[in-house]
Amino acid sequence: MRKKVLIPIIMLISLMTFTMSCAPAPEEKPKGAVTVLGVWGGDELTNFQEAVFPFTDETGIGMAFEGTRDLAAVLTTRVEAGNPPDLAILPNPGQMYELAEDGNLIDISKFMDMDKLNTNYAKAWLDLASYDGTLYGIFYKVANKSLIWYNPTAFADGGYNIPTTWDELIALSDKIVSDGKTPWAIGFESGAASGWPATDWIEDIMLRTAGPDVYDKWVSHEIPWTDPAVKTAWETFGEIVGKEDYQYGGTTGTLTSFFGDAPASLFTDPPGAYMHRQASFITGFFPEGVEAVTDYDFFPFPPIDPAYGTPVLGGADLIVMFNDTPEARELMKYLASAQPQEIWASAGGFISPSKEVNLDSYPDELTKKMADMVVKAEVFRFDASDLMPAAVGAGSFWSGTLDYVGGEDLDTILGDIEASSVEAYK
């Protein structure tokens, strides 16, 4: 029987450590605990630990996990003090680029099996985990945001088909309106963060109308907010939120509905609305008792310009390395393999970008479908607002979407966001 030994280590915040009593002889394999800094707690931390247990059983190398809700600040302090963790799990690549630029990260291509990584991960994932052509990390846990949720029973009763293009999506919306019903359940209210769900709409559309290269320039402010490509994305967004009869409760309903409450109208009898665009996490807000596949399902946010296909917008956690030790190398290699990812996938709440992970590992058909979208996506891009300076990404962009839905002039809105960007990107 495996015996777990918890090793207390005093650090700044909560710290979880573990190793195994059945470790091999020191002369045979490297020993010691690899320190890992991240935001995971609760079920996420438990599942991560379960995924690492086989590695510790096999190598005798333990893992000391330090959890913090203020990862950026704690990591910056540790790096400046010359005491970084061996590994850190970052919520997006933004801080990775800063750390790599300052020379604080290890080039993992020096010891990883690059042929295997190139086989198991789409080029987009390796590019996103690289800075200036050097690979510094491995993406591990993905959120898929390019999803439109619907009630299959309500769709069948209405005689509605799944749209595969933007034009079909608009045609379906018109059909539902002509039937005297409301196509969309939308909610952009989120307290001080109101507006963020609308930015996800625009980002998904931008990828499909302008393509990933222009999207990247937009994120890094290499093109202004007044660029025609940006304006086109907003105007396309307006094809949905600019029509009162498309939205459950009209414009007022969209602006005042809490984002987590908005999808509830899909499950009323008769349905208050038929479609809801939101990320994979939204199922946690669905009413109790509704069941996947029968009561809810999803289809991909459809392509708009065929030239740009069906990219995936989302977020993902990224594992990077600060200290080049034999133990840290071994843990990085293990985490990039299928075994730990399949262990977590089977527990739920986890989607891997690795093609090596067996889709049968996922606990249900919907999660398997979401994972299949991620690994097959030719283009994956991070949530743009999360990568922009906070004054824009969590400021003028959020508020600008609410102003636009409220009917204010688009050129004025984009001009205001551009003005804030000029200052924020200095």
Side-chain angles (χ1 to χ4, degrees), residues 151-160 181 266 268 271 273-274 294:
N151 182 329
T153 302
F155 256 51
D157 291 345
Y160 305 136
K181 305 169 185 174
L266 270 61
T268 58
Y274 285 80
T294 302

Side-chain angles (χ1 to χ4, degrees), residues 5-7 16-20 48-49 52-53 56 62-64:
V5 179
L6 298 181
I7 305 172
M16 172 66 76
T17 67
F18 65 91
T19 184
M20 305 297 171
F48 183 54
Q49 291 171 338
V52 176
F53 281 148
T56 301
M63 178 187 72

Side-chain angles (χ1 to χ4, degrees), residues 156-404:
D157 291 345
Y160 305 136
N161 297 317
I162 301 301
T164 58
T165 67
W166 179 262
D167 288 343
E168 290 182 6
L169 184 69
I170 296 300
L172 173 61
S173 300
D174 289 339
K175 168 65 175 168
I176 293 173
V177 170
S178 70
D179 289 342
K181 305 169 185 174
T182 304
W184 290 97
I186 308 174
F188 291 159
E189 196 279 324
S190 185
S194 293
W196 71 259
T199 64
D200 286 356
W201 272 87
I202 293 171
E203 292 157 4
D204 245 339
I205 292 171
M206 185 83 176
L207 277 173
R208 287 160 172 74
T209 55
D213 292 341
V214 175
Y215 182 93
D216 293 342
K217 291 179 180 177
W218 172 52
V219 171
S220 58
H221 199 223
E222 294 177 51
I223 60 172
W225 284 79
T226 51
D227 188 277
V230 180
K231 186 175 181 180
T232 295
W234 283 67
E235 290 174 333
T236 306
F237 173 52
E239 294 178 23
I240 300 289
V241 297
K243 296 178 179 176
E244 283 285 320
D245 53 7
Y246 268 25
Q247 306 162 75
Y248 183 69
T251 298
T252 300
T254 291
L255 291 174
T256 61
S257 295
F258 177 62
F259 77 91
D261 294 338
S265 58
L266 270 61
F267 307 107
T268 58
D269 186 16
Y274 285 80
M275 293 179 284
H276 178 74
R277 186 222 164 275
Q278 190 49 275
S280 47
F281 69 81
I282 196 62
T283 57
F285 291 87
F286 286 174
E288 290 187 12
V290 298
E291 296 188 3
V293 181
T294 302
D295 298 317
Y296 64 87
D297 201 340
F298 71 85
F299 56 87
F301 197 94
I304 301 176
D305 184 334
Y308 303 120
T310 309
V312 172
L313 177 76
D317 293 321
L318 171 71
I319 303 175
V320 297
M321 183 172 165
F322 291 88
N323 297 319
D324 192 1
T325 67
E327 293 84 358
R329 285 190 176 199
E330 291 304 311
L331 183 55
M332 281 293 288
K333 291 177 185 177
Y334 174 75
L335 292 174
S337 69
Q339 183 181 8
Q341 301 185 54
E342 290 177 348
I343 290 172
W344 195 342
S346 65
F350 180 90
I351 293 176
S352 170
S354 173
K355 300 173 186 174
E356 189 182 18
V357 172
N358 191 329
L359 291 176
D360 291 333
S361 301
Y362 294 99
D364 57 69
E365 288 303 312
L366 292 194
T367 308
K368 185 186 295 186
K369 280 174 51 180
M370 286 186 247
D372 193 45
M373 274 183 66
V374 168
V375 297
K376 289 182 178 176
E378 294 184 1
V379 173
F380 180 93
R381 283 297 183 271
F382 264 80
D383 184 314
S385 61
D386 286 347
L387 300 178
M388 294 173 177
V392 179
S396 55
F397 191 9
W398 284 359
S399 60
T401 62
L402 302 178
D403 293 339
Y404 180 60

Side-chain angles (χ1 to χ4, degrees), residues 84-98:
D86 294 321
L87 308 181
I89 303 168
L90 309 179
N92 64 59
Q95 192 173 18
M96 184 208 79
Y97 299 147
E98 296 174 3

